[in-house]
Amino acid sequence: MQRRQFFSGAASAVAAAAVSPVAMAALPEPVIQTSADTAAPLAPPNGRPYQPVVTLNGWTLPWRMNAGVKEFHLVAEAVVREVAPGFFVNMWGYNGQSPGPTIEVVEGDRVRIFVTNRLPEATTVHWHGQRLPNGMDGVGGLNQPHIPPGKTFVYEFDARRPGTFMYHPHSDEMVQMAMGMMGLWITHPKGRHPQIADVARDYAFLLSAYAVEPGAMTPRVAEMTDFNIWTFNSRAFPAITPLVAGLGERVRIRVGNLTMTNHPIHIHGHEFEVTGTDGGPLPRSARWPEVTTDVAVGQMRQIELIADEPGDWAFHCHKSHHTMGAMGHDVPTMIGVDHQGLVGKIQKIVPDYMLMGERGMGDMGAMQMPLPDNTFPMMTGKGPFGNIEMGGMFTTFKVRKGLPAQDYRDPGWYAQPPGTVAYEWQGAPLDAQAPRQTLPGTAPGAPSVHKPAAGSGHANH
């Protein structure tokens, strides 16, 4: 977080109280974040207290109090997002990042948001899921004029109900959302709420997808179906920060979907309940245990669980092609095709030719094949037992005994207790050799087709 703004890291509470009366009459200076790391939760320096969220690979936007109103400043601008180490994508976002910073308020707060447009075209901001005056809803041309480049507009309304919400443009939406313009909005309850439990940790992130050609940096904004970069908060595994929890803690995870498809979000080793949506908290009578919940386009899902199983547990989208990197599309299926003797002949003509997929794609995680500059590999995850063979929408949920309440650092890999790791059988081997395959058309009982002999009376059929 850069110091040309009036908030900076741990000094944010002091800086908030030190804003002069002259500054209060002007625009709040925008806070800009350039790091892709997960920032620590922003404890509220003023206003009503609440437990802040942790935005996965993101941060919370500081505010100033002005005559009882919480004032924020969003800057819509071109940004460069480090989606994974060494892989950068040209995006549009807010305050130096895509997604933009999380906005956190309390139910009943009066909120004023200044939006400055530094894009090359007009924009607006829609406050997805909010109850507010019609003229503050942010649909350009319908509720308000579009915000021209170089101009600043002001939105002001009351945060009327608690929940998990989003913000995004409703101006040239196809381009601007495809370029990464989105962010989270969290409204905390003003007091004890019968449907909202106290939790030890509260995580939040958005699902986003991009179509970026290998070697390119700018997404294809007109793409509707063929996306190849699948992300949590515009980060792809293994660059997504793990979610950590102390053993026995109650954990809330808020997920919003602004991609073009649904995502079944799945956790290993635990079950959870869906406790809220962008419509608000769910009554307890409407909840049931799950290990996967489908988050459809434009939806928010809030899940809660008890972290009662120690270990490193996978947490991911269950669409298998959403847990891989950029090179997975348009690859022919070569499983079972015998390349013996062929690779050497091809390499005499194409020296860089590499065999792919003869035994499946698992070998891709270990291959060091050359890629165009700024191209994210299909599989790059490494774990304590070898290649994890995942990418995209995948991370880990790390549960540890004795983890301090405010400690969000990666605790490293889990030390498996003796006798609790799957192991290789050392007894007598199975007689059959593996893999065992049967040539097409020769399986016992397979139907056979033959061409009728000449003169059989079927010549004209």
Side-chain angles (χ1 to χ4, degrees):
M1 201 175 287
Q2 297 177 350
R3 190 58 188 91
R4 67 183 179 88
Q5 295 73 32
F6 67 86
F7 289 96
S8 179
S12 60
V14 176
V19 180
S20 71
V22 174
M24 296 292 255
L27 279 171
E29 191 173 357
V31 184
I32 306 299
Q33 173 69 281
T34 56
S35 171
D37 295 335
T38 297
L42 178 64
N46 46 46
R48 281 176 289 195
Y50 59 84
Q51 181 182 336
V53 302
V54 172
T55 304
L56 207 62
N57 292 106
W59 59 297
T60 290
L61 184 64
W63 67 87
R64 73 178 185 191
M65 296 297 296
N66 188 354
V69 179
K70 282 185 176 176
E71 292 187 336
F72 299 85
H73 193 167
L74 284 175
V75 178
E77 60 184 348
V79 303
V80 177
R81 177 66 161 175
E82 187 179 20
V83 175
F87 175 49
F88 297 86
V89 177
N90 293 325
M91 295 186 184
W92 290 358
Y94 302 92
N95 299 60
Q97 284 287 14
S98 170
T102 297
I103 294 174
E104 291 188 76
V105 301
V106 178
E107 178 187 10
D109 279 351
R110 184 72 175 177
V111 181
R112 184 178 297 129
I113 309 105
F114 298 85
V115 178
T116 298
N117 184 10
R118 291 180 180 165
L119 297 173
E121 67 168 0
T123 191
T124 65
V125 180
H126 166 60
W127 313 100
H128 182 111
Q130 301 281 0
R131 292 288 190 99
L132 37 59
N134 186 246
M136 295 291 172
D137 195 47
V139 181
L142 176 65
N143 308 124
Q144 67 166 87
H146 297 265
I147 307 173
K151 299 296 184 180
T152 297
F153 275 40
V154 183
Y155 297 86
E156 186 168 343
F157 53 89
D158 295 328
R160 292 167 54 183
R161 60 191 179 91
T164 306
F165 310 107
M166 302 181 276
Y167 63 87
H168 59 80
H170 257 302
S171 181
D172 193 13
E173 184 174 342
M174 180 188 79
V175 170
Q176 294 183 16
M177 290 183 64
M179 290 291 288
M181 296 189 72
M182 61 192 72
L184 285 159
W185 177 299
I186 310 297
T187 300
H188 298 278
K190 61 185 177 183
R192 299 286 299 182
H193 192 288
Q195 310 297 346
I196 301 176
D198 293 331
V199 296
R201 297 172 193 261
D202 197 335
Y203 291 99
F205 62 92
L206 289 171
L207 306 171
S208 51
Y210 304 95
V212 183
E213 298 283 358
M217 286 187 65
T218 303
R220 298 195 309 267
V221 296
E223 184 55 60
M224 292 185 288
T225 58
D226 197 22
F227 298 91
N228 61 356
I229 304 296
W230 303 95
T231 68
F232 291 172
N233 259 20
S234 296
R235 291 279 280 185
F237 182 77
I240 301 173
T241 301
L243 292 79
V244 301
L247 186 65
E249 289 182 336
R250 186 175 186 87
V251 179
R252 179 181 294 126
I253 304 172
R254 309 171 191 249
V255 185
N257 181 8
L258 284 173
T259 73
M260 299 279 277
T261 186
N262 65 308
H263 298 279
I265 298 300
H266 173 62
I267 192 168
H268 293 207
H270 296 78
E271 59 279 337
F272 58 76
E273 289 183 339
V274 177
T275 60
T277 71
D278 34 1
L282 286 179
R284 297 183 187 277
S285 59
R287 306 175 188 178
W288 64 86
E290 274 281 12
V291 298
T292 305
T293 187
D294 197 42
V295 187
V297 179
Q299 287 185 337
M300 308 292 305
R301 287 292 179 267
Q302 178 180 294
I303 67 174
E304 292 177 24
L305 57 91
I306 303 298
D308 55 4
E309 294 287 348
D312 295 338
W313 303 102
F315 181 79
H316 60 98
C317 175
H318 217 292
K319 288 188 174 180
S320 57
H321 62 293
H322 294 183
T323 54
M324 61 188 294
M327 297 298 290
H329 290 206
D330 301 321
V331 176
T333 299
M334 304 298 288
I335 295 173
V337 176
D338 186 2
H339 287 79
Q340 187 173 1
L342 182 61
V343 175
K345 296 177 181 178
I346 296 176
Q347 287 177 339
K348 291 179 181 179
I349 305 171
V350 185
D352 291 334
Y353 176 80
M354 182 176 292
L355 175 63
M356 292 177 59
E358 186 180 56
R359 297 177 300 275
M361 301 302 291
D363 291 346
M364 294 298 294
M367 287 184 178
Q368 298 298 317
M369 62 184 298
L371 297 172
D373 291 342
N374 202 58
T375 299
F376 184 58
M378 184 187 301
M379 307 174 193
T380 61
K382 299 285 186 181
F385 298 100
N387 297 320
I388 296 178
E389 297 177 1
M390 292 285 185
M393 291 178 168
F394 180 97
T395 188
T396 50
F397 179 55
K398 297 192 172 187
V399 181
R400 298 291 189 274
K401 183 178 180 180
L403 191 69
Q406 296 304 315
D407 190 352
Y408 290 90
R409 295 171 297 177
D410 185 345
W413 298 115
Y414 181 62
Q416 310 284 351
T420 66
V421 179
Y423 57 93
E424 181 181 355
W425 170 249
Q426 299 297 326
L430 188 68
D431 290 339
Q433 296 296 311
R436 180 176 59 197
Q437 294 185 348
T438 305
L439 293 176
T442 62
S448 61
V449 178
H450 65 275
K451 182 178 179 180
S456 63
H458 293 275
N460 296 322
H461 286 198

